Amino acid sequence: MSNSPIIRRRVDPRAERAARTVLTGPRPRLLRQPVAPTTINERRRDPRALRTAALVQHLPRPRYDWTRDAASPGTAAPAGVAVTAAPAIPLRVIAEPAYLVLAMLDRPGGEVSEHDRQVIAAARLLADGADAGGGGAVVTVATGSGAALAEAGSDRHVALPEGWADDYVPERRAAAASALMAALSPRHILFPDSPDGADVARRVAAAAGERLFTGVQSLSPDRATRQSSGGSLETGHRPTRLMTVAADAFAPLDGVRHEARPLDLATPMVAGEEVLPRLGGARRLAVDPDALALSEADFILSAGNGVTDWQSFAELGEALGATRAGSRVVCDAGHLPRERQVGASGTVVSARCYLAFGIAGAPQHLQGITGVKHVIAINTDLHAEMIKRADLSIVADAQDVMPALIRLIRERRND
Ligand SMILES: Cc1cc2nc3c(=O)[nH]c(=O)nc-3n(C[C@H](O)[C@H](O)[C@H](O)COP(=O)(O)OP(=O)(O)OC[C@H]3O[C@@H](n4cnc5c(N)ncnc54)[C@H](O)[C@@H]3O)c2cc1C
């Protein structure tokens, strides 16, 4: 078989019709005999190459610039061609901030959460607000470097020790926040209204003897509001120095680039190990992932009708430490209990990762995973709806992938 590419010419039906049309009489007539097909000397569009050419940024999420004339018809960019540099988002530098707004982030497990980004967006409202004169800078405080926070809106960054990422010791973070409060005199300090962030905020407020305005849902330099009485009342207040920001109240910023420059502190801001937790027994407990309610699970391993090797499915769940779930078909067939069903008539989940083996992605199933952050699909059918929904897909037999993954995990653990 020849390896030369097949170039199909595009047929132009309008041109063919025009060639057969005779306009001599009162009405146009169409000649019966076929005419030689008119072709436009164009190659067919290659959507993948067009997409590659339009890609202007890989990370943290792909961005495309469809206004570029990177691949006109017939000149599709071949795979592997280097993509030209992205039109850079202008860097916004606040060299001499008039005042500071601190954002004390959770950064659970070292990852910047959506709630963290929302807190930075809220802090920007206070830093940029025209009513407050603008010109303020947002200082993020979290474990890890500030690089990942520049596109979320951070001007300066204070890095907390890496070891604090997974510990539940709110006293330490509260001591660090109090030290920063004394050293930098920020106009506001915002915390996520999350279990951890709210714990820290209350300790800081108690230590400073200041009022804490919790669960802020709207914010401007001269007014902060939150809902109460089950949403039937709105409480408004002039923004206090210490506030916690409700989840999903502010849209994370997009298309901005700030410095997230490490803040030079004259004195060490992070209180040392001498700050001992008052809760002697506070630590995170390892729980059986299958004992978790599906709605609370963070990592879900889910099976559909394409799974037949249930032994491997159970072993993979154990190896990954994931909560097992399935489509309606497998629950109806008795492979998993009814309360493990994901979907419109099952449970709506909001996991960070949903690993779907052999699930077609019926609308009723997809309704159950709208809130999932990352979907990974394993399916033999490239055109399955679940593959379209997924961020990452493996087009292969689930029965091959499951034991391969288990082997890999065990090898890594033994290493
Ligand atoms: C009122 C109503 C409510 C419903 N509620 C729900 C609900 O809450 N949740 C729910 O899930 N469904 C629900 N359904 C059912 C839903 O419509 C689908 O029938 C069901 O989700 C299909 O399950 P499935 O994807 O596991 O199976 P299938 O549709 O049979 O798909 C199996 C998939 O596995 C792939 N596959 C096959 N073999 C392999 C292999 N060896 N390796 C990898 N992949 C393979 C196939 O390509 C296919 O994509 C509801 C239906 C109705 C009418």
Side-chain angles (χ1 to χ4, degrees):
M1 215 170 78
S2 158
N3 280 335
S4 61
I6 301 167
I7 299 172
R8 286 189 282 173
R9 303 288 173 190
R10 294 180 69 188
V11 174
D12 183 352
R14 283 195 200 175
E16 276 179 24
R17 194 180 165 83
R20 288 167 57 202
T21 306
V22 182
L23 292 168
T24 47
R27 277 193 267 158
R29 283 189 308 119
L30 273 187
L31 291 176
R32 273 178 180 276
Q33 72 269 27
V35 293
T38 330
T39 57
I40 304 170
N41 201 15
E42 272 182 3
R43 282 167 100 171
R44 287 163 70 90
R45 277 161 51 90
D46 179 352
R48 282 195 197 176
L50 289 175
R51 201 174 171 78
T52 311
L55 184 67
V56 291
Q57 176 195 309
H58 284 272
L59 291 172
R61 61 178 86 142
R63 285 182 208 279
Y64 299 93
D65 178 1
W66 297 112
T67 59
R68 291 164 149 227
D69 189 24
S72 56
T75 57
V81 168
V83 178
T84 50
I89 302 169
L91 176 70
R92 193 164 158 221
V93 177
I94 297 174
E96 299 289 336
Y99 57 93
L100 301 176
V101 180
L102 255 62
M104 292 285 302
L105 310 180
D106 280 348
R107 216 166 176 174
E111 202 179 301
V112 184
S113 67
E114 277 303 283
H115 202 170
D116 286 337
R117 289 181 200 281
Q118 293 161 10
V119 172
I120 301 174
R124 279 247 71 90
L125 290 176
L126 294 173
D128 299 337
D131 306 359
V138 172
V139 181
T140 47
V141 184
T143 53
S145 89
L149 301 167
E151 293 198 7
S154 161
D155 299 304
R156 308 279 188 279
H157 182 67
V158 176
L160 298 176
E162 284 299 334
W164 291 16
D166 288 320
D167 281 0
Y168 177 77
V169 189
E171 287 81 3
R172 278 200 308 219
R173 284 178 187 255
S178 299
L180 286 166
M181 215 164 132
L184 303 176
S185 307
R187 190 175 279 184
H188 303 282
I189 308 187
L190 305 187
F191 304 81
D193 202 335
S194 61
D196 288 3
D199 265 3
V200 177
R202 279 163 178 78
R203 282 168 169 79
V204 175
E210 287 191 26
R211 179 184 177 140
L212 173 69
F213 195 64
T214 57
V216 170
Q217 283 173 318
S218 79
L219 197 55
S220 71
D222 59 359
R223 193 171 163 81
T225 68
R226 67 153 178 260
Q227 287 176 359
S228 51
S229 301
S232 60
L233 271 183
E234 189 181 77
T235 313
H237 203 279
R238 199 172 166 76
T240 53
R241 186 143 81 131
L242 303 173
M243 290 180 278
T244 63
V245 175
D248 299 328
F250 297 88
L253 298 177
D254 207 5
V256 296
R257 195 158 67 95
H258 288 252
E259 282 184 290
R261 190 199 321 156
L263 192 69
D264 290 330
L265 298 165
T267 48
M269 280 311 110
V270 171
E273 297 301 318
E274 72 274 9
V275 181
L276 294 174
R278 299 228 177 101
L279 297 171
R283 67 194 159 87
R284 298 199 190 273
L285 296 174
V287 291
D288 173 7
D290 282 333
L292 278 177
L294 270 187
S295 55
E296 289 176 11
D298 201 37
F299 183 14
I300 297 177
L301 171 68
S302 197
N305 210 11
V307 169
T308 51
D309 181 356
W310 292 99
Q311 177 67 28
S312 291
F313 181 71
E315 283 178 28
L316 183 58
E318 206 174 307
L320 290 170
T323 304
R324 282 178 294 165
S327 69
R328 176 164 159 176
V329 173
V330 301
C331 293
D332 283 355
H335 296 297
L336 288 169
R338 174 74 178 75
E339 79 267 8
R340 295 283 123 190
Q341 180 187 319
V342 172
S345 56
T347 304
V348 175
V349 299
S350 55
R352 203 145 37 120
C353 181
Y354 189 78
L355 187 52
F357 278 86
I359 302 180
Q364 296 88 351
H365 190 88
L366 294 182
Q367 277 171 34
I369 60 167
T370 45
V372 170
K373 193 158 182 209
H374 306 292
V375 174
I376 304 173
I378 294 90
N379 201 305
T380 43
D381 177 8
L382 172 66
H383 304 288
E385 289 300 319
M386 185 56 91
I387 289 210
K388 290 183 195 158
R389 165 67 175 83
D391 305 278
L392 180 73
S393 309
I394 305 174
V395 181
D397 190 323
Q399 278 53 245
D400 294 338
V401 177
M402 287 190 291
L405 261 180
I406 295 168
R407 253 196 324 275
L408 200 68
I409 294 166
R410 288 186 182 153
E411 275 170 24
R412 291 265 165 98
R413 287 221 176 117
N414 290 340
D415 281 350

